[in-house]
Amino acid sequence: MSAHIGKGVLSAVGDTPLVQLERLFPESPARFHAKLEGMNPGGSMKDRAAMSMVVGAIESGRLVPGKSTVVESSSGNLGIGLVQVCRWFGLRFVCVVDPRTTTQNLAILEAYGAELEMVTEPDNELGDFLGARIRRARQLAEEIPGAFWPDQYANVLNARAQEQLMREVARDLDGRVDVLFVATGSCGTIHGCARYIAEHGMTTHVVAVDAVGSAIFGQPGCQRLVPGHGAARRPALHHDGMADSAELMTDQDCVIGCRRLVAAEAILGGGSSGAVVGAAARRARELPEGANCVLVLPDRGERYMDTIYSDAWVERHFGDIRHLWKG
């Protein structure tokens, strides 16, 4: 076999392209690059975390290929990453989802062979399901003999997988990364990137991109429409100082960012990618001349055709806002 041919689909996880964005922010004196995490085989950066957590559990003896069961809570991308890894190793996978999980993500999970466990009662009047999903995942892990719950929000292997992402960015830019825009969520990516930056003496300014109404930076709660954007509770992987600054983005900001990205750069990004674009847009004019800025784009947009890329859905929730990305 050629040295350039990978052994199985999991060999394609990571080493995603870093591309220059030449059209998105023409008014900015800085240089912008996009880390295209949607190019992972499962469609998102969560492939890295999924593989790290499962392989780590196999190596420790906690999971036995062909015999064991993995249980996890997910709004979409991590579940897809996990079921791909579990399918490869012959592991049973039970994914705890909620009514906000899109029909397309549910169909993808089932196509890979996931068993779906739906929670239907939200935690509060805002419709947050995260706590309910986590409680059900913990319960199933206790009830199913030998089951393993990776717990992405607290698993250090989630964060360690993302150190490799930052290593790739630093390699491709010869170590000069002035500003990094990265979405929160489980905080695995920002935790891992910040750790790599600190351990290698880099001077990168890390901008955390979070949702308005997310608990990660202590916001009062509000109902959010974009899955995976923000969190209803602060993850254990969060720690003070992991970001130098933060930008809080609304669901509308996600839509505008996604629509601007595909119009300017022909990149079809997912909801969190739109938030990252929106955060960079806020900073674009004030950045130093020639600064190297990297936008970590977590996933692709095909799973958002019924929402972010649906004109009818956008108008129903936000009114006619087409001028905000067509101008």
Side-chain angles (χ1 to χ4, degrees):
M1 180 181 290
S2 167
H4 299 290
I5 298 177
K7 185 177 180 181
V9 68
L10 299 186
S11 67
V13 175
D15 208 19
T16 53
L18 185 72
V19 300
Q20 190 165 349
L21 301 176
E22 298 182 332
R23 304 171 181 175
L24 191 58
F25 305 116
E27 76 285 359
S28 178
R31 290 190 295 266
F32 292 88
H33 306 80
K35 184 67 167 166
L36 302 182
E37 285 297 286
M39 299 300 286
N40 282 300
S44 82
M45 64 165 48
K46 295 292 189 177
D47 286 11
R48 296 178 186 261
M51 189 166 75
S52 177
M53 293 187 295
V54 172
V55 170
I58 291 173
E59 291 176 345
S60 71
R62 184 67 181 78
L63 286 174
V64 179
K67 295 182 179 181
S68 301
T69 299
V70 176
V71 177
E72 183 59 290
S73 155
S74 173
S75 60
N77 284 335
L78 180 74
I80 292 169
L82 279 171
V83 74
Q84 176 180 245
V85 178
C86 287
R87 173 56 60 194
W88 175 255
F89 286 110
L91 298 163
R92 177 189 176 198
F93 179 57
V94 181
C95 190
V96 182
V97 296
D98 64 60
R100 292 174 57 191
T101 308
T102 67
T103 55
Q104 187 168 17
N105 282 342
L106 294 174
I108 294 170
L109 287 164
E110 289 186 315
Y112 273 108
E115 298 173 33
L116 303 181
E117 180 79 15
M118 179 75 71
V119 298
T120 57
E121 295 297 324
D123 296 319
N124 52 44
E125 66 279 2
L126 297 174
D128 291 318
F129 287 92
L130 178 59
R133 290 205 322 261
I134 290 175
R135 286 192 298 273
R136 184 58 178 148
R138 183 185 291 113
Q139 180 183 15
L140 286 169
E142 293 171 353
E143 293 175 353
I144 299 171
F148 171 65
W149 175 36
D151 188 8
Q152 62 162 322
Y153 291 96
N155 195 323
V156 295
L157 294 181
N158 176 0
R160 287 179 187 168
Q162 308 301 344
E163 291 182 44
Q164 176 60 28
L165 184 156
M166 192 65 212
R167 182 178 292 109
E168 293 166 14
V169 170
R171 175 200 67 198
D172 292 346
L173 291 174
D174 296 324
R176 187 189 165 194
V177 186
D178 299 303
V179 185
L180 182 77
F181 293 89
V182 57
T184 53
S186 71
C187 288
T189 303
I190 194 168
H191 182 123
C193 289
R195 180 183 175 93
Y196 183 91
I197 288 166
E199 290 186 347
H200 290 81
M202 299 175 68
T203 59
T204 307
H205 182 99
V206 178
V207 180
V209 181
D210 196 18
V212 170
S214 167
I216 297 173
F217 288 95
Q219 281 277 295
C222 72
Q223 191 169 22
R224 299 184 304 278
L225 299 172
V226 178
H229 179 48
R233 62 171 66 179
R234 179 174 286 181
L237 290 177
H238 173 277
H239 64 83
D240 292 337
M242 67 182 183
D244 298 293
S245 62
E247 292 287 353
L248 305 181
M249 315 303 293
T250 65
D251 290 320
Q252 179 173 299
D253 292 327
C254 294
V255 171
I256 296 167
C258 285
R259 296 297 192 105
R260 289 188 64 190
L261 181 64
V262 70
E265 300 285 352
I267 296 172
L268 195 71
S272 295
S273 297
V276 170
V277 169
R282 289 183 183 174
R283 305 278 182 106
R285 293 180 183 272
E286 66 188 48
L287 293 166
E289 179 80 34
N292 267 345
C293 306
V294 175
L295 284 63
V296 180
L297 303 183
D299 63 353
R300 297 197 298 263
E302 290 92 338
R303 295 167 191 169
Y304 300 83
M305 290 297 107
D306 294 334
T307 55
I308 287 171
Y309 294 100
S310 164
D311 290 341
W313 183 89
V314 172
E315 186 163 354
R316 183 165 66 251
H317 289 285
F318 309 108
D320 186 357
I321 58 171
R322 286 173 291 182
H323 63 284
L324 295 177
W325 63 77
K326 291 188 176 181

